[in-house]
């Protein structure tokens, strides 16, 4: 499947999630992404199981974690600690458009594979370095992990029940968001290169991304001078905007304006709430949430969840069920949109969650499955002009696999 980045070459020297997420997105958009991995072990996430995808005989093959972020790529397993391995990567960088890497600051320089060194050989190369704390500053030397960054960047302080322990999110959301910001950065640099003819180095730090994506919570703090408190499933700025229990389950109610609240009040049998100065406006409802929310909770407990949701739908009151992951993946809207897919490789069906971008009505999701380790080493090297004898020697010496 072609895409807007068809013909572009990405050298993906990243591992785990943030960098590979960016690489997968670029692959979905049509770029040729060559994933550089360590021989024998490969990307760390190949071993991050269970759960494992099993082959036809029931033997574990690959971790689900790895499979979530490496669709559309070629795998070249090469030892960059060896001079011959470094030479191979340099040759690839000379024809690449984009370099993705998430080594610690200075980690690639000792191999002569840092962006500054590679850009001397290819001034059009766009480099993107993804680290925990950025290329400079007092923490630049530290390794970055999503969990630590959620803690340091303030996200955990606003996540969880008011009287409970601060909580991380259920997904490594800082890694995912960093992958998205990295993609935006390299695409902007790619556009600029069309005018200047020269590449750029994009510096993306997990901590920077985490702080940037605090969004309204950061501005709440800067404007008020006070730290926001944890509200559990409630919203600090909107009421009612939280989870509620029904007779047989849970739903979320997200009333975003006063008109919606008036319709809700009428449905719940209390139209007088919409005229009460204590509840008529969102600001008043936020101020008086401790009185209003229990009243709404009492009403919702009287009926089953789906009955309430049907009535909300008719009255254009935004709400939804709290689904499990399997329920979400089975939702008719998700299925209609083609968000759950599968790719075939080596006789295995590899489940995938699709790229949410659609171009002219077509899903922009690569049909190439995540590669096995070193799957494309031979074909990539042959494309670089190496002979079968050269490839055999490199493999015998453990430089590739």
């Amino acid at each position: 499947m072609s895409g807007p980045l068809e013909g572009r070459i990405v050298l993906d020297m990243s591992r785990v999630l943030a960098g590979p997420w960016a690489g997968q997105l670029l692959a979905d958009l049509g770029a040729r992404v060559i994933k550089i991995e360590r021989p024998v072990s490969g990307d760390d996430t190949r071993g991050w199981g269970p759960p494992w995808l099993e082959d036809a005989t029931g033997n574990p093959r690959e971790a689900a974690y790895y499979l979530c972020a490496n669709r559309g790529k070629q795998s070249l397993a090469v030892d960059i600690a060896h001079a011959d391995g470094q030479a191979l990567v340099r040759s690839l960088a000379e024809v690449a458009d984009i370099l993705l890497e998430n080594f610690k600051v200075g980690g690639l320089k000792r191999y002569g594979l840092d962006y500054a060194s590679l850009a001397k050989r290819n001034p059009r190369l766009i480099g993107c370095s993804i680290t925990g704390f950025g290329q400079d500053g007092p923490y630049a030397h530290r390794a970055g992990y999503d969990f630590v960054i959620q803690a340091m960047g303030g996200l955990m302080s606003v996540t969880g029940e008011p009287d409970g322990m601060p909580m991380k999110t259920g997904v490594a959301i800082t890694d995912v968001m960093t992958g998205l910001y990295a993609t935006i950065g390299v695409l902007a640099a790619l556009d600029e290169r069309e005018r200047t003819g020269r590449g750029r180095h994009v510096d993306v730090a997990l901590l920077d991304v985490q702080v940037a994506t605090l969004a309204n919570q950061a501005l709440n703090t800067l404007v008020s001078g006070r730290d926001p408190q944890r509200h559990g499933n409630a919203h600090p700025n909107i009421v009612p905007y939280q989870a509620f229990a029904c007779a047989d389950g849970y739903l979320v109610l997200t009333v975003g304006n006063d008109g919606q609240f008036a319709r809700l009040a009428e449905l719940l049998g209390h139209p007088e709430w919409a005229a009460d100065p204590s509840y008529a406006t969102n600001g008043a409802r936020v101020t008086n949430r401790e009185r209003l929310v229990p009243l709404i909770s009492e009403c919702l407990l009287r009926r089953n969840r789906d009955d309430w949701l049907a009535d909300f739908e008719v009255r254009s009151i935004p709400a939804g069920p709290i689904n499990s992951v399997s329920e979400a993946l089975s939702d008719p809207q998700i299925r209609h949109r083609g968000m759950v897919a599968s790719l075939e490789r080596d006789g295995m069906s590899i489940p995938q969650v699709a790229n949410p971008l659609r171009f002219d009505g077509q899903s922009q999701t690569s049909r190439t499955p995540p590669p096995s380790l070193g799957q494309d080493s031979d074909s990539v090297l042959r494309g670089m002009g190496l002979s079968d004898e050269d490839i055999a020697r490199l493999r015998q010496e453990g430089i590739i696999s």
Side-chain angles (χ1 to χ4, degrees):
M1 180 182 65
S2 63
L5 294 182
E6 186 175 6
R8 305 300 189 184
I9 299 175
V10 179
L11 197 56
D12 185 356
M13 298 185 70
S14 66
R15 56 211 184 277
V16 186
L17 187 54
W21 196 262
Q24 177 170 267
L25 181 50
L26 294 170
D28 281 343
L29 293 173
R32 178 191 179 197
V33 179
I34 303 171
K35 182 178 180 67
I36 304 299
E37 301 190 72
R38 295 183 299 262
V40 183
S41 59
D43 190 316
D44 298 6
T45 59
R46 288 184 182 275
W48 285 11
W52 308 97
L53 181 70
E54 297 179 347
D55 62 20
T57 61
N59 293 317
R61 288 288 298 272
E62 286 167 320
Y65 200 120
Y66 163 77
L67 297 174
C68 86
N70 289 285
R71 176 179 61 239
K73 304 177 185 180
Q74 296 177 297
S75 173
L76 170 59
V78 56
D79 182 3
I80 65 170
H82 193 284
D84 285 350
Q86 295 162 16
L88 293 174
V89 174
R90 289 192 194 97
S91 295
L92 286 170
E94 288 178 358
V95 298
D97 296 285
I98 297 164
L99 166 71
L100 292 177
E101 61 93 0
N102 62 353
F103 284 70
K104 291 176 67 174
V105 174
L108 283 175
K109 188 173 184 178
R110 59 178 170 162
Y111 304 121
L113 300 178
D114 56 303
Y115 174 72
S117 298
L118 296 178
K120 291 178 181 177
R121 304 166 69 97
N122 178 6
R124 291 176 56 81
L125 182 66
I126 293 161
C128 181
S129 297
I130 299 172
T131 57
F133 300 94
Q135 297 296 302
D136 50 31
Y139 304 156
H141 64 282
R142 297 183 185 178
Y145 293 89
D146 179 277
F147 194 2
V148 173
I149 300 299
Q150 287 196 38
M152 294 181 67
L155 181 59
M156 288 182 64
S157 75
V158 296
T159 306
E161 293 298 328
D163 299 325
M165 179 180 289
M167 297 291 291
K168 69 177 180 65
T169 61
V171 172
I173 195 65
T174 307
D175 275 340
V176 172
M177 291 298 295
T178 300
L180 296 177
Y181 270 97
T183 303
I184 292 168
V186 299
L187 292 179
L190 195 62
D191 181 75
E192 182 188 49
R193 195 183 71 177
E194 294 301 307
R195 300 187 301 275
T196 67
R198 298 190 65 85
R200 286 263 201 164
H201 181 242
V202 182
D203 171 8
V204 189
L206 271 68
L207 185 60
D208 294 351
V209 169
Q210 179 55 79
V211 171
T213 53
L214 286 173
N216 60 299
Q217 293 286 34
L219 266 293
N220 288 347
T221 302
L222 293 172
V223 169
S224 71
R226 297 188 299 273
D227 279 323
Q229 302 302 302
R230 292 191 298 283
H231 291 277
N233 285 314
H235 196 288
N237 304 109
I238 310 172
V239 172
Y241 197 104
Q242 65 184 76
F244 288 95
C246 302
D248 66 341
Y250 298 91
L251 57 77
V252 294
L253 187 58
T254 55
V255 173
N257 60 53
D258 298 337
Q260 292 171 359
F261 179 72
R263 296 195 295 275
L264 173 68
E266 182 177 10
L267 175 62
L268 296 182
H270 292 279
E272 71 278 6
W273 289 352
D276 188 330
S278 297
Y279 309 135
T281 66
N282 180 69
R285 292 192 294 275
V286 171
T287 299
N288 296 293
R289 76 165 73 222
E290 300 303 327
R291 290 161 48 193
L292 177 60
V293 169
L295 297 175
I296 297 173
S297 297
E298 182 181 356
C299 293
L300 292 177
L301 281 169
R302 296 171 185 162
R303 297 175 64 201
N304 290 342
R305 182 191 73 175
D306 290 349
D307 294 334
W308 281 121
L309 289 173
D311 283 344
F312 292 152
E313 177 80 12
V314 170
R315 292 165 176 77
S316 297
I317 299 170
I322 298 179
N323 287 330
S324 67
V325 175
S326 59
E327 287 172 333
L329 295 175
S330 300
D331 184 276
Q333 179 67 19
I334 297 297
R335 290 288 176 168
H336 175 82
R337 296 285 290 177
M339 288 303 299
V340 178
S342 64
L343 303 173
E344 301 298 321
R345 197 199 75 213
D346 300 332
M348 297 186 299
S349 179
I350 302 175
Q352 292 282 283
V353 175
N355 186 317
L357 295 175
R358 287 187 170 210
F359 285 26
D360 300 324
Q362 298 297 313
S363 173
Q364 197 62 47
T365 303
S366 173
R367 298 304 303 168
T368 301
S372 58
L373 178 60
Q375 169 186 299
D376 306 287
S377 294
D378 289 11
S379 62
V380 170
L381 296 178
R382 287 193 190 101
M384 295 168 61
L386 275 71
S387 67
D388 288 346
E389 291 75 16
D390 292 333
I391 294 171
R393 177 185 62 81
L394 292 170
R395 181 166 286 112
Q396 185 176 17
E397 293 177 0
I399 298 169
I400 65 167
S401 68

